Amino acid sequence: MSFELEPLADPAVSELTVQLPAAFWAFHRQYYGAYREYARLQLGDAHSGSQLAHRVFMHLAMNWAGLMEEENPAACAWALLKEAVAAELEVQGRQAAIGDTAVLTRVTRAVLESYRQQFAAMETALGLYNAIARLPERQFDVVILQHVLGYTTERTAQVMGVSEGTVRSHCFHARRKLAKELQLGLGREPVEHRGDRDDEE
C-alpha cells in the first residue's frame, strides 16, 4: 500500500462512503478513536488530530481491498498513521508535541503514577520525562497508549496490530530502560511481564 496521503475532493468522499463495506465501518469504529487521540498528542491539538485521523481513514477506504490482502491489516494501518504523523510534523518543520514540556509533563505524571509501586524509591519525576522521550519508538507508543490514554494490554495490542505478549514485552523493556537510566531499583518484577522477554523489542 502507498503511505502517501492526498486530500480528497468532497464528491469523491461522498461517493466512496456509499460504497464502503460493513467491514470498513467496523474497522473504523474499532480504531478511529485511538488514532485520533494518538495524533492529537503528537500534533498538539484536537482539531489537527481529528483531521489527520480522517485523512488516514479515507486513504484506508480508498485502498480497502489492498489492506484486506495484507497479512496484518491492523499493523499496516498503524504504520500508515505513524507515517502520516511524521509527514505532517515534517511539513510543519517541528518535532512531535509530545516533546513539549506541558504534554511530556502529563506523560511523566501518568507513568510515574502507574509505576509508583515498582519505582518505590522514586521521590520525584525529575529526569523521567527525558528518559521517556528517549525510549525506542514502539516502547514509547506502548507507554503513551497504556499510561496516558489508559488502554489495556489487549486494546493496545489491537491498536498497534501486535500480540499482547509483544505489548507486555515493550512495557517490560520500557520499564527496565527507564529504571536503568534513572538508576532505580525495580524490586520484584510484575508477574504479567515474566516470560515475555523473547518477544520483539
Side-chain angles (χ1 to χ4, degrees):
M1 291 181 64
S2 169
F3 287 98
E4 184 175 351
L5 297 182
E6 298 291 345
L8 297 176
D10 289 339
V13 172
S14 299
E15 182 179 349
L16 180 61
T17 55
V18 172
Q19 300 172 356
L20 288 172
F24 169 82
W25 294 114
F27 192 92
H28 186 282
R29 284 191 300 273
Q30 186 170 10
Y31 295 105
Y32 178 80
Y35 285 21
R36 181 190 62 217
E37 289 304 296
Y38 183 87
R40 175 181 64 82
L41 284 173
Q42 293 282 9
L43 299 179
D45 71 89
H47 180 69
S48 295
S50 294
Q51 280 195 322
L52 186 137
H54 176 72
R55 288 173 59 214
V56 166
F57 271 88
M58 291 310 300
H59 183 84
L60 293 176
M62 292 182 66
N63 296 276
W64 185 249
L67 180 66
M68 291 299 95
E69 292 176 358
E70 295 287 339
E71 182 178 350
N72 189 335
C76 186
W78 178 252
L80 172 62
L81 173 72
K82 300 284 301 231
E83 292 262 352
V85 167
E88 181 64 25
L89 289 170
E90 185 175 355
V91 166
Q92 296 180 14
R94 64 183 181 87
Q95 298 293 316
I98 205 72
D100 293 346
T101 302
V103 179
L104 203 47
T105 296
R106 178 185 170 192
V107 177
T108 301
R109 188 180 302 116
V111 172
L112 181 59
E113 187 60 33
S114 297
Y115 289 167
R116 177 66 69 181
Q117 291 183 337
Q118 297 157 27
F119 290 168
M122 178 180 276
E123 298 294 338
T124 175
L126 182 64
L128 180 57
Y129 71 90
N130 285 327
I132 293 171
R134 288 193 295 270
L135 286 172
E137 183 178 359
R138 284 195 160 193
Q139 292 176 22
F140 181 83
D141 286 349
V142 167
V143 167
I144 296 301
L145 292 171
Q146 290 199 300
H147 298 299
V148 180
L149 298 181
Y151 294 157
T152 63
T153 298
E154 179 183 11
R155 178 62 173 148
T156 300
Q158 290 174 346
V159 170
M160 294 179 66
V162 298
S163 70
E164 291 183 38
T166 296
V167 170
R168 287 191 292 269
S169 178
H170 289 320
C171 186
F172 171 83
H173 288 291
R175 177 174 164 272
R176 300 295 290 189
K177 184 174 177 62
L178 292 174
K180 182 177 180 180
E181 288 206 22
L182 298 168
Q183 299 182 333
L184 296 171
L186 284 170
R188 189 173 179 181
E189 181 181 326
V191 174
E192 69 169 332
H193 295 313
R194 294 176 191 164
D196 293 320
R197 298 183 204 184
D198 292 332
D199 287 356
E200 64 178 285
E201 291 190 49

